[in-house]
Amino acid sequence: MAGDAIEPERIPVIVGVGQINDRTADPFAALDAIDLMAEALRIADSDGGGGWMESLDSLAVVDQISFRALNPVVDALAAKLGITPAHRFQTAMPMGDSPIRLLNEAANRIGSGEGTVAAVVGAEALRTAARRAAAMAGDDEGDHNAIRARHRGRAPDYRQRYGLIAPVDFYPLYENAARAAWGQTLAAAQAETGEMWAGMARVAADNPHAWLPTARTAEDIVTPSAANRPIAFPYTKLMVANSSVNQGAGFIVTSLAEARARGLAENRLVYVGHGAAAHEPDDVLARDTYTGSAGMRTSLEGALAANALTITEIDLVELYSCFPCVPKLARRILGWPADRAVSVVGGLTFGGGPIGNYMSHAVAAMVMRLRGGGRRNGLLFGNGGFATHNHSIVLSSAPPSAACFPCDFDHQSLADLARGPVPAVNETYAGPGTIESYTIMYARTGAASAGVIVARNMAGERFLAAVSAEDAATIRFLSDGVAEPVGTPGIAMRRDDGLLVWKSTVDQVFDPTV
């Protein structure tokens, strides 16, 4: 069905978008997460011509972590805005796919007639929160690693005992395994990252809402330095999400009929197409592979198919960029050319990485670009958790021919069918194995602090082993790019603390001339 062949009351459109960056120097005068959300929605209301806030019948919020004492924030936000929407919802966790999921749900509410005007919003003020905490503690630096801090005080499970805790510990497993599977050298893989990230920096430099609107060269991005320290191999600071931001973004969705009744110009409307969601197992060690993601493929391909589009009909994309492996995998799934931009915001490094709400900024930026004329279709892809949750959706400047709401966006059964066999995890094994993937963690000084090996034993079982920072030869072998470590043999031996420690049996690791 095309355009107005569907009742206008059932066609969801985005009518207003809002973004805010708060750079207030005094952390006690700066906005908290609720303040940022409120202001983002006020801007969105104004962008849509005004008068939408008092008509909201749905308010959906992306969970925030910067001010945990404020949670749940959805009721407090409604009170601050002076509104009383009947439907109020806040996500359980701040996942990177959350804004796309909430957009899909808003479109379905409108398409089913359950609501007429819906708002989606989120914000993080981690920069302010860290500075307030530092000021009160008399600490010049503060604790910026909020994700890792959330796990403190809990009894560690198997993977956490080996240091696999935060997203930055897990995504390199995909980067290193995929690089080996693609037959790339380390230098070629880093060069691909550098060019992709330099492209995002160029986008950010032209985006007034970007947190770091400064162009960077590929060499700047891939070269470790005092200002670009290594974070987790093979990633440097300029390759990972920048969460030390104060950013909010939101958008307003209504029906085409309501938008027309309020006199909005047709060129201000952006149509919501169908979405597709699928996820990987929550347990990273229960994944079938680290060389790809059935959930990601199902989500991306499913969104195109649901909208009866091919990638050649997509003009703009936002491929989630918390870490380089995500847009690298997504680009290959889609067949998106390497010389085309993968972001309309500037990516989570340069556009800013407000934990679960980045894709609200992407929705806002995509709407602005599609309103600009000359472009019809934009594809948005969000990724959350530990490369776990995948959600894609299409936005269009004209009524999408295949869209009919409400629509089931859950494609999980297809992802499950596409997934390969999952190896058993053997937490008690010690002995020989081969490297399936790995990473190295670094201290703020830039020195390696530890390494983690994901290995397979002779029975095909998966197990973990540590690499000591003092084992300079193994650290060098894993990171110098001379040979590909994935697939090489080693022995995991039990040490005094009960953990396994990895000893490579590749001859060159122990060659003193290397």
Side-chain angles (χ1 to χ4, degrees), residues 104 273-277 295-319 330-337 376-381 391-396 400-403 407 409 411 414:
N104 239 325
H274 288 162
M296 182 187 295
R297 178 175 293 277
T298 299
S299 172
L300 287 164
E301 293 179 347
L304 290 178
N307 291 281
L309 295 171
T310 66
I311 194 61
T312 60
E313 297 172 284
I314 297 296
D315 302 296
L316 300 163
V317 299
E318 181 69 48
L319 304 182
R331 183 178 67 77
R332 285 167 169 81
I333 290 169
L334 292 168
W336 189 251
R376 181 182 175 107
N377 299 311
L379 175 66
L380 295 157
F381 167 65
H391 209 136
S392 306
I393 202 167
V394 169
L395 299 183
S396 301
S401 61
C407 182
F409 54 78
H411 290 218
L414 295 176

Side-chain angles (χ1 to χ4, degrees), residues 145-216:
N145 200 338
I147 294 291
R148 192 178 300 277
R150 292 181 71 188
H151 292 274
R152 291 175 186 161
R154 303 179 190 175
D157 61 19
Y158 177 58
R159 60 179 174 79
Q160 290 167 349
R161 291 198 299 272
Y162 284 90
L164 297 177
I165 299 171
V168 71
D169 308 321
F170 290 100
Y171 282 87
L173 301 181
Y174 282 87
E175 178 78 28
N176 292 320
R179 178 193 67 234
W182 296 332
Q184 278 187 315
T185 64
L186 175 62
Q190 293 293 81
E192 179 183 349
T193 296
E195 290 299 329
M196 188 181 293
W197 254 240
M200 285 191 282
R202 289 192 293 272
V203 171
D206 290 332
N207 177 7
H209 301 289
W211 189 259
L212 296 176
T214 304
R216 304 276 188 155

Side-chain angles (χ1 to χ4, degrees), residues 134-291:
M136 290 187 288
D139 179 358
D140 289 336
E141 183 176 302
D143 183 3
H144 296 277
N145 200 338
I147 294 291
R148 192 178 300 277
R150 292 181 71 188
H151 292 274
R152 291 175 186 161
R154 303 179 190 175
D157 61 19
Y158 177 58
R159 60 179 174 79
Q160 290 167 349
R161 291 198 299 272
Y162 284 90
L164 297 177
I165 299 171
V168 71
D169 308 321
F170 290 100
Y171 282 87
L173 301 181
Y174 282 87
E175 178 78 28
N176 292 320
R179 178 193 67 234
W182 296 332
Q184 278 187 315
T185 64
L186 175 62
Q190 293 293 81
E192 179 183 349
T193 296
E195 290 299 329
M196 188 181 293
W197 254 240
M200 285 191 282
R202 289 192 293 272
V203 171
D206 290 332
N207 177 7
H209 301 289
W211 189 259
L212 296 176
T214 304
R216 304 276 188 155
T217 67
E219 185 177 1
D220 290 337
I221 291 157
V222 303
T223 304
S225 66
N228 187 35
R229 60 187 177 86
I231 301 292
F233 185 82
Y235 298 149
T236 64
K237 184 178 180 180
L238 289 178
M239 296 178 188
V240 304
N242 174 18
S243 61
S244 183
V245 298
N246 301 330
Q247 292 184 301
F251 46 92
I252 298 171
V253 188
T254 191
S255 69
L256 178 61
E258 183 70 15
R260 287 175 172 172
R262 297 196 184 206
L264 268 69
E266 293 290 327
N267 63 5
R268 298 287 297 175
L269 308 180
V270 171
Y271 292 79
V272 183
H274 288 162
H279 61 80
E280 297 300 309
D282 289 330
D283 183 356
V284 177
L285 297 183
R287 310 277 171 90
D288 60 333
T289 182
Y290 301 117
T291 63

Side-chain angles (χ1 to χ4, degrees), residues 131 185 210 359 459:
R131 289 184 170 183
T185 64
M359 291 305 292

